[in-house]
């Protein structure tokens, strides 16, 4: 159990991996196992373990939130009574109980995302697969969903694919870095951040220098400090004038270092 954050740029292969794990796509080679058995051989018994929130959500706009959850629950083999009870419990936990009878089309984007998370949890799955669950949400909604996932992660395996570092930096037990279909690193966030020592540097600069300097290195950030503008870059070697920083390293630095360098 725990949260496994799968980080990578758009096109890194995150959604393809999700589709393979959910058996929505067939692999060209290799095998996927659950409890030491190939998932294709387990069929229905494996799919019953899954809760899936795809990147592009499909829902019926005229359904109310609770009607949609009842519908999804029945597809997962629950009785109507079980589905309604479980659906209302999930809406309560996600602070949506008062919107249970509102049409999906009338809910805000953040509310709809929470309903889609609720449908993934119908049937109490052991594996929760979330593909870009906070895309398009404002910071408040992102925090709400992150906190909820952290709360339930002791009960199940959560695979969370995203290109937004802040979605996983505070809650992931392990981070998997992907690029072009390859797995570059797997480690706890703290270990990945520790590896950045010697690979992050800063330099004072002017606005005129920014374009030139950002073409030299992968730019992690540009900040305004009392002494002026400071550019923060990642790499393996730095020219004179840069000084390596060992404090305030972050998963953002890790992401930029691995996902924008050729490996």
């Amino acid at each position: 159990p725990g949260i496994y954050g799968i980080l990578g740029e758009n096109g890194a292969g995150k959604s393809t991996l999700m589709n393979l794990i959910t058996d929505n796509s067939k692999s060209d080679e290799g095998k996927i196992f659950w409890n030491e058995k190939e998932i294709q051989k387990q069929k229905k018994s494996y799919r019953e373990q899954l809760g899936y929130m795809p990147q592009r959500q499909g829902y019926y706009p005229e359904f109310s939130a609770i009607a949609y959850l009842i519908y999804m629950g029945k597809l997962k083999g629950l009785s109507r009574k079980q589905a309604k009870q479980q659906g209302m419990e999930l809406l309560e936990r996600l602070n949506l109980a008062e919107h249970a009878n509102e049409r999906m089309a009338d809910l805000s984007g953040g509310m709809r995302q929470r309903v889609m998370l609720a449908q993934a949890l119908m049937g109490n799955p052991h594996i929760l697969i979330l593909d870009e669950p906070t895309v398009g949400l404002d910071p408040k909604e992102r925090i709400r969903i992150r906190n909820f996932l952290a709360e339930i992660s002791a009960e199940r395996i959560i695979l969370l694919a995203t290109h937004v570092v802040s979605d996983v930096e505070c809650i992931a037990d392990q981070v998997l870095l992907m690029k072009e279909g390859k797995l570059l690193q797997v480690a706890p966030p703290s270990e990945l951040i520790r590896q950045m020592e010697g690979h992050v540097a800063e330099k004072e600069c002017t606005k005129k220098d920014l374009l030139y300097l950002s073409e030299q290195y992968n730019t992690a950030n540009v900040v305004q400090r009392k002494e002026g503008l400071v550019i923060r870059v990642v790499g393996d070697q730095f020219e004179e004038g840069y000084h390596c920083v060992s404090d305030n390293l972050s998963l953002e630095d890790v992401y930029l270092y691995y996902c924008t360098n050729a490996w």
Side-chain angles (χ1 to χ4, degrees), residues 20-161:
L20 291 169
I21 291 172
T22 55
D23 202 24
N24 282 316
S25 296
K26 302 301 178 186
S27 58
D28 297 317
E29 57 184 88
K31 296 176 182 178
I32 300 172
F33 294 84
W34 167 247
N35 284 345
E36 301 182 356
K37 289 179 64 178
E38 284 186 60
I39 61 172
Q40 285 84 2
K41 293 179 180 178
Q42 299 185 53
K43 298 182 180 178
K44 183 182 177 183
S45 65
Y46 169 69
R47 288 193 291 274
E48 286 174 346
Q49 310 295 321
L50 296 177
Y52 182 37
M53 182 180 174
Q55 183 176 355
R56 291 178 177 81
Q57 309 297 342
Y59 63 91
Y60 297 102
E62 298 303 316
F63 276 31
S64 66
I66 186 60
Y68 178 69
L69 293 182
I70 291 171
Y71 170 71
M72 294 301 293
K74 291 181 73 176
L75 287 179
K76 293 185 177 187
L78 301 179
S79 68
R80 181 180 178 84
K81 182 179 178 180
Q82 289 173 321
K84 185 173 183 180
Q85 180 181 345
Q86 199 172 113
M88 286 306 301
E89 288 172 356
L90 286 166
L91 290 176
E92 185 73 41
R93 290 185 73 181
L94 286 160
N95 296 317
L96 286 171
E98 62 186 72
H99 303 283
N101 294 308
E102 293 181 24
R103 296 188 321 152
M104 292 286 286
D106 296 333
L107 298 177
S108 69
M111 290 178 182
R112 218 160 26 233
Q113 287 288 83
R114 278 183 274 154
V115 174
M116 299 310 293
L117 178 55
Q119 68 78 25
L121 284 162
M122 293 294 288
N124 196 28
H126 288 101
I127 311 166
L128 187 60
I129 297 176
L130 310 174
D131 194 357
E132 304 281 2
T134 64
V135 66
L137 299 186
D138 62 41
K140 186 177 179 181
E141 286 288 358
R142 285 180 182 272
I143 292 169
R144 191 195 300 267
I145 286 180
R146 287 204 301 264
N147 289 345
F148 178 73
L149 293 176
E151 178 189 332
I152 65 171
S153 63
E155 307 164 15
R156 54 181 56 81
I157 294 169
I158 300 177
L159 302 178
L160 195 165

